[in-house]
mmCIF file of all heavy atoms in Angstrom:
data_model
loop_
_atom_site.group_PDB
_atom_site.id
_atom_site.type_symbol
_atom_site.label_atom_id
_atom_site.label_comp_id
_atom_site.label_asym_id
_atom_site.label_seq_id
_atom_site.Cartn_x
_atom_site.Cartn_y
_atom_site.Cartn_z
ATOM 1 N N LEU A 205 1.511 -14.904 -20.167
ATOM 2 C CA LEU A 205 1.673 -16.354 -20.049
ATOM 3 C C LEU A 205 0.511 -17.082 -20.726
ATOM 4 O O LEU A 205 0.707 -18.079 -21.428
ATOM 5 C CB LEU A 205 1.760 -16.760 -18.579
ATOM 6 C CG LEU A 205 3.030 -16.359 -17.824
ATOM 7 C CD1 LEU A 205 2.894 -16.708 -16.343
ATOM 8 C CD2 LEU A 205 4.254 -17.051 -18.413
ATOM 9 N N ALA A 206 -0.701 -16.574 -20.497
ATOM 10 C CA ALA A 206 -1.863 -17.209 -21.095
ATOM 11 C C ALA A 206 -1.823 -17.122 -22.617
ATOM 12 O O ALA A 206 -2.215 -18.065 -23.320
ATOM 13 C CB ALA A 206 -3.144 -16.558 -20.563
ATOM 14 N N GLU A 207 -1.350 -15.991 -23.137
ATOM 15 C CA GLU A 207 -1.283 -15.784 -24.586
ATOM 16 C C GLU A 207 -0.017 -16.386 -25.204
ATOM 17 O O GLU A 207 0.104 -16.463 -26.428
ATOM 18 C CB GLU A 207 -1.321 -14.285 -24.880
ATOM 19 C CG GLU A 207 -2.631 -13.610 -24.522
ATOM 20 C CD GLU A 207 -3.727 -13.942 -25.506
ATOM 21 O OE1 GLU A 207 -3.463 -13.964 -26.725
ATOM 22 O OE2 GLU A 207 -4.871 -14.175 -25.052
ATOM 23 N N LYS A 208 0.927 -16.785 -24.349
ATOM 24 C CA LYS A 208 2.225 -17.302 -24.808
ATOM 25 C C LYS A 208 2.920 -16.291 -25.711
ATOM 26 O O LYS A 208 3.469 -16.629 -26.762
ATOM 27 C CB LYS A 208 2.064 -18.644 -25.517
ATOM 28 C CG LYS A 208 1.494 -19.748 -24.641
ATOM 29 C CD LYS A 208 1.397 -21.061 -25.388
ATOM 30 C CE LYS A 208 0.832 -22.160 -24.499
ATOM 31 N NZ LYS A 208 0.704 -23.458 -25.211
ATOM 32 N N ARG A 209 2.886 -15.038 -25.280
ATOM 33 C CA ARG A 209 3.495 -13.962 -26.054
ATOM 34 C C ARG A 209 4.317 -13.076 -25.128
ATOM 35 O O ARG A 209 4.038 -12.956 -23.920
ATOM 36 C CB ARG A 209 2.418 -13.104 -26.729
ATOM 37 C CG ARG A 209 1.630 -13.810 -27.806
ATOM 38 C CD ARG A 209 0.412 -12.993 -28.227
ATOM 39 N NE ARG A 209 0.762 -11.633 -28.645
ATOM 40 C CZ ARG A 209 -0.143 -10.682 -28.904
ATOM 41 N NH1 ARG A 209 -1.443 -10.964 -28.766
ATOM 42 N NH2 ARG A 209 0.241 -9.478 -29.286
ATOM 43 N N HIS A 210 5.358 -12.468 -25.701
ATOM 44 C CA HIS A 210 6.133 -11.491 -24.946
ATOM 45 C C HIS A 210 5.274 -10.257 -24.680
ATOM 46 O O HIS A 210 4.310 -9.985 -25.404
ATOM 47 C CB HIS A 210 7.395 -11.091 -25.720
ATOM 48 C CG HIS A 210 8.383 -12.199 -25.890
ATOM 49 N ND1 HIS A 210 8.970 -12.854 -24.825
ATOM 50 C CD2 HIS A 210 8.883 -12.778 -27.014
ATOM 51 C CE1 HIS A 210 9.796 -13.788 -25.277
ATOM 52 N NE2 HIS A 210 9.756 -13.765 -26.600
ATOM 53 N N ILE A 211 5.644 -9.517 -23.652
ATOM 54 C CA ILE A 211 4.901 -8.310 -23.307
ATOM 55 C C ILE A 211 5.236 -7.206 -24.304
ATOM 56 O O ILE A 211 6.405 -6.824 -24.467
ATOM 57 C CB ILE A 211 5.225 -7.875 -21.873
ATOM 58 C CG1 ILE A 211 4.652 -8.887 -20.869
ATOM 59 C CG2 ILE A 211 4.663 -6.486 -21.587
ATOM 60 C CD1 ILE A 211 4.983 -8.586 -19.427
ATOM 61 N N THR A 212 4.217 -6.695 -24.957
ATOM 62 C CA THR A 212 4.339 -5.621 -25.937
ATOM 63 C C THR A 212 3.162 -4.664 -25.745
ATOM 64 O O THR A 212 2.190 -4.969 -25.033
ATOM 65 C CB THR A 212 4.308 -6.157 -27.379
ATOM 66 O OG1 THR A 212 3.042 -6.804 -27.597
ATOM 67 C CG2 THR A 212 5.445 -7.150 -27.634
ATOM 68 N N VAL A 213 3.226 -3.508 -26.400
ATOM 69 C CA VAL A 213 2.106 -2.570 -26.342
ATOM 70 C C VAL A 213 0.837 -3.182 -26.943
ATOM 71 O O VAL A 213 -0.239 -3.062 -26.350
ATOM 72 C CB VAL A 213 2.469 -1.238 -27.028
ATOM 73 C CG1 VAL A 213 1.233 -0.339 -27.141
ATOM 74 C CG2 VAL A 213 3.565 -0.516 -26.243
ATOM 75 N N PRO A 214 0.912 -3.851 -28.110
ATOM 76 C CA PRO A 214 -0.308 -4.491 -28.621
ATOM 77 C C PRO A 214 -0.908 -5.513 -27.658
ATOM 78 O O PRO A 214 -2.132 -5.620 -27.533
ATOM 79 C CB PRO A 214 0.162 -5.150 -29.922
ATOM 80 C CG PRO A 214 1.306 -4.303 -30.369
ATOM 81 C CD PRO A 214 2.002 -3.913 -29.104
ATOM 82 N N LEU A 215 -0.046 -6.263 -26.959
ATOM 83 C CA LEU A 215 -0.562 -7.234 -25.990
ATOM 84 C C LEU A 215 -1.241 -6.508 -24.831
ATOM 85 O O LEU A 215 -2.309 -6.926 -24.357
ATOM 86 C CB LEU A 215 0.568 -8.121 -25.477
ATOM 87 C CG LEU A 215 0.128 -9.215 -24.495
ATOM 88 C CD1 LEU A 215 -0.668 -10.301 -25.226
ATOM 89 C CD2 LEU A 215 1.338 -9.833 -23.791
ATOM 90 N N LEU A 216 -0.639 -5.425 -24.369
ATOM 91 C CA LEU A 216 -1.237 -4.646 -23.290
ATOM 92 C C LEU A 216 -2.593 -4.094 -23.713
ATOM 93 O O LEU A 216 -3.565 -4.145 -22.953
ATOM 94 C CB LEU A 216 -0.295 -3.505 -22.891
ATOM 95 C CG LEU A 216 -0.833 -2.490 -21.878
ATOM 96 C CD1 LEU A 216 -1.249 -3.153 -20.581
ATOM 97 C CD2 LEU A 216 0.219 -1.403 -21.616
ATOM 98 N N LYS A 217 -2.681 -3.584 -24.944
ATOM 99 C CA LYS A 217 -3.948 -3.048 -25.441
ATOM 100 C C LYS A 217 -5.006 -4.150 -25.532
ATOM 101 O O LYS A 217 -6.176 -3.928 -25.215
ATOM 102 C CB LYS A 217 -3.741 -2.387 -26.795
ATOM 103 C CG LYS A 217 -2.951 -1.084 -26.743
ATOM 104 C CD LYS A 217 -2.814 -0.490 -28.128
ATOM 105 C CE LYS A 217 -2.110 0.848 -28.098
ATOM 106 N NZ LYS A 217 -1.955 1.427 -29.463
ATOM 107 N N LYS A 218 -4.595 -5.321 -25.962
ATOM 108 C CA LYS A 218 -5.541 -6.442 -26.054
ATOM 109 C C LYS A 218 -6.051 -6.820 -24.669
ATOM 110 O O LYS A 218 -7.252 -7.061 -24.483
ATOM 111 C CB LYS A 218 -4.876 -7.638 -26.713
ATOM 112 C CG LYS A 218 -5.807 -8.842 -26.843
ATOM 113 C CD LYS A 218 -5.111 -10.013 -27.517
ATOM 114 C CE LYS A 218 -6.079 -11.207 -27.645
ATOM 115 N NZ LYS A 218 -5.443 -12.386 -28.266
ATOM 116 N N MET A 219 -5.142 -6.869 -23.708
ATOM 117 C CA MET A 219 -5.556 -7.197 -22.345
ATOM 118 C C MET A 219 -6.540 -6.159 -21.819
ATOM 119 O O MET A 219 -7.560 -6.504 -21.213
ATOM 120 C CB MET A 219 -4.343 -7.262 -21.427
ATOM 121 C CG MET A 219 -4.683 -7.626 -19.985
ATOM 122 S SD MET A 219 -3.297 -7.412 -18.847
ATOM 123 C CE MET A 219 -3.249 -5.627 -18.692
ATOM 124 N N MET A 220 -6.254 -4.889 -22.058
ATOM 125 C CA MET A 220 -7.141 -3.843 -21.581
ATOM 126 C C MET A 220 -8.518 -3.947 -22.231
ATOM 127 O O MET A 220 -9.549 -3.740 -21.572
ATOM 128 C CB MET A 220 -6.529 -2.475 -21.869
ATOM 129 C CG MET A 220 -5.304 -2.162 -21.020
ATOM 130 S SD MET A 220 -5.639 -2.184 -19.249
ATOM 131 C CE MET A 220 -6.872 -0.894 -19.137
#
Side-chain angles (χ1 to χ4, degrees):
L205 290 174
E207 294 286 318
K208 298 182 180 179
R209 293 169 55 188
H210 294 300
I211 291 177
T212 62
V213 172
L215 182 71
L216 173 58
K217 290 181 176 179
K218 180 180 181 181
M219 181 190 75
M220 290 301 299

